[in-house]
Amino acid sequence: MEAADSRNSVPPGRARPFFAFVCVVLVLAALACVRPLLALPGELPELPVAFWVMAALAVGCDARPFVPPGRRQTSAVFPSTCFTFAILLGWGLGPAVAVQAVAVVISGWRLGHAPWRTAFNAGQYACALSAAQAVTWLGPGAIFDGGRLRGTDVLAVGGATVAWFAVNYALVSVAVRLRFGDRWWPSLRQGLGFELLSTGSLLLLAPVLVAAARASAALIPLVLVPLFAVYRMARLSVEQQQLASLDPLTGLPNRKALLAEVGEQVHLHAERAARGEPGARLALLLIDLDRFKNVNDALGHAVGDRLLVEVSARLTGVVDEETVARLGGDEFAIVMTGLTDVDEARELADRVVRALAEPVSLDGLPLDVGGSIGIAIFPEHGEDFATLMRHADVAMYDAKHRNDTVAVYAAESDHNSAERLGLLADLRRVLESGRPAGAPAGPVGAAEPVGAAEPGGALGGPTVVVPVGPAPGAGSQGTGGTRGGDGAALPATGVGLPAGVGRWRLRRSRKLTEPPHPDELINRIVTAADPIRRRAASEAVGPDQHPVVPGRHDGVGRPGGQDAATTRRAAPPADAGAGGHGGDRAPAGRPGIRQDAAPQHAADADPAVDAGEITMYYQPQIAIATGEVVGVEALLRWWHPSRGMVDPEELIRVAEQSAVMRLLTRRVVDDVVEQLAKWSAAGLALPAALNVSVRDLHTGEIADQIADRLARYEVPPERLQLEITEGALMADPRRVLATITRLHRIGVGIALDDFGTGYSSLQHLRRLPLSEVKVDRSFVLGMAEDADDAAIVKSTIELAKALGLRVVAEGVEDERTWRMLHAAGCDAAQGWFYARPMPAEELVGWLARYRPVRPTPSPDAEIPRRHAR
């Protein structure tokens, strides 16, 4: 009946309290049973035949106890419980304790129990019988002592049954606690249902057995039939538990069993760590077969199942006493306990890899199936099953991505942390919040004019058309009071669209309440990094000034944007060549300040309600030969109330893994097309390019959406251009090509972004309906100093020109690069040398101040000669 482990040893350090408890139980049993046992010799001659039949059956049945398959011997079913409890009800405590003691000795001998285990079992049963006897005294007289049973007798029998079970189970619980420590409760809780079913059924059969004995002793053996039924119920219950915890194909433990095993081992290893003992770590190894899907697809699931059985056999052959489980599909797990170092887990993983590397021969066909293994260690990588499992999964996929076989969890490889899930939820919330009240949803033919802002913020006065081409009489740039192409004075600020146009908010941002920092430099940096402070500063400096806001962030649809934080370079002096473009670049010698360092206004924004503000920024694209602005690239910015400005690279990486990317693209398309319509209404015919994700190109939805928006806002298709990366093309070339072809037929331009970073560039140039190629910034940034980069850029330009494609260079940050691109024949460029990305309203003001500058021949514009290797 004991639910503890069947081993006959006691863990070190627990022997004294455990054996002290055993002695206490034996003393209590002796005190409770001494008088009945002393009176027993005189009662034996008077005991009826029925008693001797029950005693013989009790001892005989316990000589061969029912041990359900898959259970420990300590969970065996002892039929003597039924007979001894019936003897207690019919003939008293002394005969019952004596028969139970003999049965315990016999069963202990058969099961190989240590003497102390046998003594404890006898003592616990004696205490349980004594408690039941005390309850029967509550009835009027002796039960079954002639006459009919009354209601109080039935209650007394029920109470005795409960008392027997409660005392017995309580004594076992305390013994297990003293013997094994804190991990006693899971075992007892899991075994409670089994004990209630088996032992409870035996106890409830005892009154029926006594009633049959009163009629005739010959009826007593018939109780063996219901006893066998009890055994069958116990067996079926265990088999159901086994089926629920075993994989039906391989016979290995399943995820449920693995959860229980890891939970128990975590408790055990936590105790070891608390005591400072060695071997306090455990490892969870997650194994995923590499080419199992190919076998299923080529040879069928029947062969795949046979392969899984063979793999499970190999895994169990590699490990010694460790737990091997199948989680489902082609995923397996191994729990390795008692570790002192992670190298031991790596050693086991290497053995598993070697075992799986051998081909599996099925029907004479050798199948090559390898595996990738991720390792998570307790307690470094998690202190519960869910955390260890997730981190092992991250490590396993990390091994796959690195074309490796074994990887240990590393935090930098975890791209799906709880923080990112929260960021994704916030992004979905801000996208689903809808456009701000009053934002036009239809054509904007009656858009508000672009002009100077009157006091109070209302727009009025005549419409001022901002020229895009070169203007005569270019003068000083970057100062107030610049002149447009017609010579009319245009204020540096206050020119453009109303504040807030083209932005999506969940709620209106609150006013900035923090006082300025006493240090002027720190105050400028914080103001530049915080959009709220920046707008407040713009309102405070007056119409004749334009605050410089340094900061670099990526665009939507591709990692590592134009202003990515890779290869920061100092800008040339402001008076060098075209350097003085309205102060739109970081000051000389100072790298751009990241806007994601914005202060966290936790007290000013409730993250549960405010998910921040999404804004489109626009970076000008300049024709290198003439200096004219020939277009802009739309870039995404998200200011989060607690994280500040979110890194666009992280934003896109998070969004691309879910359906939120579709929402994000839909809102970006809506905003950019609407902005083009507003610029057209203001007399500004400016094309715009935007990036799209690979998820957007897998269906034709984006083509339908763009066609609908262009028609709704009455924007010519040639004013919009989509930039796609080579990675998007390689993901699913057939579906992506179909979507691109539809967009090309609509009239939308297609540009190949980050050209040169993929693996099939020439094939794409030949097959796709492209109009433009963008040279990746990783080559442009280094071409002034690296001959290899310069040669790649020049070759790319020549190749694109030969195919009739326009070439745009990204990442132009200094004057020498600008001149080198002109010498190489590049059509256009964008980068911080010309202008930073800026909101739409700032872009209009920048255009009013901008004066084209044409490059002049210079010795440093020559492409450096590449040395032979």
Side-chain angles (χ1 to χ4, degrees):
M1 301 304 304
E2 189 178 353
D5 199 317
S6 62
R7 291 175 298 176
N8 291 321
S9 61
V10 179
R14 301 189 183 276
R16 175 172 295 182
F18 175 74
F19 285 114
F21 176 72
V22 171
C23 293
V24 170
V25 171
L26 293 177
V27 170
L28 291 177
L31 292 177
C33 303
V34 60
R35 291 184 59 184
L37 290 176
L38 290 176
L40 180 60
E43 299 176 359
L44 288 178
E46 301 178 1
L47 292 176
V49 176
F51 164 79
W52 295 106
V53 174
M54 290 185 189
L57 290 175
V59 175
C61 289
D62 272 14
R64 295 186 62 85
F66 299 139
V67 182
R71 303 286 297 195
R72 294 169 176 168
Q73 291 179 345
T74 48
S75 297
V77 179
F78 296 92
S80 63
T81 301
C82 174
F83 297 105
T84 56
F85 192 59
I87 292 173
L88 171 72
L89 296 178
W91 298 283
L93 180 61
V97 171
V99 174
Q100 186 69 76
V102 175
V104 166
V105 172
I106 297 297
S107 63
W109 171 71
R110 289 283 301 175
L111 297 175
H113 289 171
W116 62 265
R117 286 179 60 85
T118 301
F120 175 76
N121 288 342
Q124 81 178 51
Y125 286 129
C127 292
L129 291 169
S130 300
Q133 177 69 17
V135 174
T136 60
W137 288 343
L138 299 178
I143 301 177
F144 299 109
D145 190 17
R148 299 184 60 181
L149 287 176
R150 293 177 291 273
T152 54
D153 295 328
V154 176
L155 292 177
V157 172
T161 303
V162 173
W164 189 102
F165 187 88
V167 171
N168 183 75
Y169 208 73
L171 293 177
V172 171
S173 301
V174 175
V176 175
R177 172 63 186 274
L178 294 174
R179 189 177 174 193
F180 297 107
D182 292 338
R183 67 188 185 104
W184 64 281
W185 172 243
S187 298
L188 292 182
R189 182 181 59 186
Q190 293 172 4
L192 181 59
F194 176 81
E195 296 293 341
L196 284 173
L197 179 62
S198 58
T199 306
S201 300
L202 292 174
L203 293 174
L204 293 176
L205 277 176
V208 179
L209 185 60
V210 174
R214 290 177 60 192
S216 172
L219 296 176
I220 295 176
L222 297 179
V223 80
L224 294 177
V225 176
L227 284 180
F228 180 74
V230 172
Y231 160 71
R232 289 297 301 170
M233 286 190 299
R235 183 185 183 93
L236 291 175
S237 174
V238 172
E239 289 177 350
Q240 288 178 353
Q241 292 182 5
Q242 283 184 315
L243 291 176
S245 301
L246 293 179
D247 174 55
L249 177 63
T250 62
L252 296 176
N254 59 11
R255 179 183 287 269
K256 179 181 178 181
L258 182 67
L259 170 61
E261 177 67 17
V262 172
E264 184 176 357
Q265 292 297 334
V266 162
H267 282 291
L268 178 61
H269 286 71
E271 289 182 14
R272 290 181 183 176
R275 295 192 299 266
E277 298 178 359
R281 290 183 173 89
L282 70 87
L284 179 62
L285 283 69
L286 187 62
I287 307 166
D288 184 81
L289 303 184
D290 289 337
R291 289 169 288 277
F292 178 73
K293 185 178 184 299
N294 298 338
V295 175
N296 261 351
D297 294 343
L299 303 178
H301 291 277
V303 176
D305 290 346
R306 293 170 57 193
L307 178 61
L308 291 175
V309 173
E310 176 62 26
V311 169
S312 66
R314 292 192 180 187
L315 293 178
T316 53
V318 169
V319 302
D320 297 326
E321 297 181 355
E322 312 298 345
T323 299
V324 181
R326 182 190 175 212
L327 304 179
D330 59 344
E331 281 192 341
F332 296 83
I334 299 176
V335 181
M336 190 176 184
T337 59
L339 301 182
T340 57
D341 193 271
V342 68
D343 291 338
E344 300 177 44
R346 280 188 172 275
E347 182 182 354
L348 175 61
D350 291 338
R351 295 205 309 267
V352 171
V353 169
R354 289 194 295 270
L356 296 178
E358 294 294 328
V360 179
S361 180
L362 296 178
D363 299 332
L365 179 65
L367 301 178
D368 184 18
V369 179
S372 301
I373 303 177
I375 303 175
I377 305 295
F378 167 86
E380 287 89 341
H381 302 150
E383 298 182 354
D384 56 78
F385 173 79
T387 305
L388 290 172
M389 190 68 188
R390 191 178 73 82
H391 289 170
D393 191 64
V394 170
M396 184 265 293
Y397 279 104
D398 185 34
K400 282 184 177 293
H401 293 160
R402 294 190 287 106
N403 293 323
D404 202 350
T405 53
V406 180
V408 179
Y409 172 76
E412 56 268 19
S413 301
D414 193 351
H415 302 307
N416 296 300
S417 62
E419 181 182 3
R420 288 195 173 182
L421 292 178
L423 189 67
L424 182 63
D426 288 343
L427 179 59
R428 177 182 289 275
R429 192 160 63 248
V430 73
L431 290 174
E432 292 178 346
S433 64
R435 289 177 174 272
V444 286
E448 293 162 323
V450 179
E454 294 180 349
L459 288 175
T463 300
V464 180
V465 178
V466 182
V468 179
S476 174
Q477 303 176 47
T479 61
T482 58
R483 294 185 173 272
D486 55 357
L490 294 177
T493 60
V495 179
L497 302 177
V501 171
R503 304 185 180 187
W504 315 315
R505 304 188 185 187
L506 193 61
R507 69 177 186 181
R508 184 179 298 275
S509 302
R510 294 188 175 95
K511 291 292 185 179
L512 185 67
T513 57
E514 295 88 341
H517 196 278
D519 188 287
E520 181 181 358
L521 177 60
I522 296 178
N523 186 55
R524 288 176 56 192
I525 294 174
V526 173
T527 302
D530 188 353
I532 298 179
R533 286 179 177 266
R534 189 167 65 247
R535 285 194 294 270
S538 299
E539 297 172 0
V541 297
D544 295 331
Q545 302 181 37
H546 188 73
V548 178
V549 185
R552 302 186 175 191
H553 285 285
D554 190 14
V556 62
R558 56 183 172 85
Q562 171 64 38
D563 46 346
T566 57
T567 317
R568 308 282 185 179
R569 297 178 180 272
D575 57 352
H581 288 244
D584 292 304
R585 290 185 294 110
R590 290 179 55 197
I593 302 171
R594 295 182 60 87
Q595 293 181 358
D596 54 7
Q600 299 182 2
H601 305 288
D604 202 30
D606 183 6
V609 178
D610 190 354
E613 176 184 341
I614 287 182
T615 308
M616 293 307 300
Y617 276 46
Y618 298 89
Q619 185 172 37
Q621 294 178 341
I622 310 297
I624 296 179
T626 64
E628 298 181 8
V629 179
V630 293
V632 293
E633 180 181 1
L635 305 170
L636 184 67
R637 298 293 183 267
W638 178 23
W639 180 83
H640 192 276
S642 61
R643 296 178 50 137
M645 194 67 76
V646 178
D647 183 6
E649 181 177 351
E650 180 181 7
L651 167 62
I652 300 305
R653 185 167 54 245
V654 169
E656 280 188 323
Q657 305 302 319
S658 70
V660 173
M661 192 66 215
R662 296 176 60 191
L663 295 176
L664 187 61
T665 301
R666 185 179 301 119
R667 298 292 292 270
V668 168
V669 170
D670 288 349
D671 191 75
V672 171
V673 175
E674 180 181 347
Q675 187 62 60
L676 289 174
K678 291 179 180 179
W679 283 337
S680 296
L684 187 61
L686 196 63
L690 59 91
N691 295 270
V692 291
S693 168
V694 59
R695 295 176 64 98
D696 303 321
L697 300 175
H698 279 177
T699 66
E701 179 182 353
I702 188 172
D704 296 334
Q705 178 193 357
I706 290 177
D708 175 74
R709 298 306 186 271
L710 292 175
R712 176 186 302 181
Y713 289 100
E714 300 177 358
V715 174
E718 60 271 13
R719 293 276 303 281
L720 185 66
Q721 178 174 268
L722 297 188
E723 297 183 1
I724 60 176
T725 62
E726 292 184 80
L729 297 174
M730 296 181 64
D732 192 338
R734 182 181 58 83
R735 290 198 293 177
V736 170
L737 181 59
T739 302
I740 292 176
T741 303
R742 289 188 57 193
L743 290 169
H744 176 69
R745 290 171 181 170
I746 294 173
V748 175
I750 305 296
L752 186 60
D753 198 9
D754 298 342
F755 182 77
T757 60
Y759 301 96
S760 54
S761 305
L762 298 181
Q763 180 181 4
H764 294 159
L765 290 177
R766 179 174 60 87
R767 295 176 54 194
L768 297 177
L770 300 176
S771 59
E772 180 181 294
V773 169
K774 301 193 73 172
V775 183
D776 186 67
R777 69 190 51 78
S778 61
F779 304 118
V780 176
L781 287 172
M783 65 179 298
E785 300 174 359
D786 192 313
D788 290 342
D789 286 348
I792 292 174
V793 172
K794 182 178 180 181
S795 301
T796 302
I797 295 173
E798 292 175 351
L799 175 63
K801 289 289 188 179
L803 295 174
L805 301 177
R806 180 171 175 263
V807 183
V808 177
E810 298 179 301
V812 180
E813 295 198 355
D814 56 66
E815 181 180 354
R816 186 183 178 192
T817 302
W818 169 54
R819 296 183 184 277
M820 291 175 66
L821 289 170
H822 176 258
C826 185
D827 295 300
Q830 65 185 76
W832 277 66
F833 176 72
Y834 296 104
R836 60 179 175 83
M838 63 193 81
E841 58 269 25
E842 292 186 19
L843 176 66
V844 176
W846 180 88
L847 289 172
R849 299 187 306 276
Y850 176 75
R851 293 295 178 269
V853 177
R854 298 174 179 83
T856 57
S858 174
D860 63 352
E862 296 295 328
I863 302 294
R865 185 179 301 275
R866 180 179 179 273
H867 298 287
R869 296 174 184 258

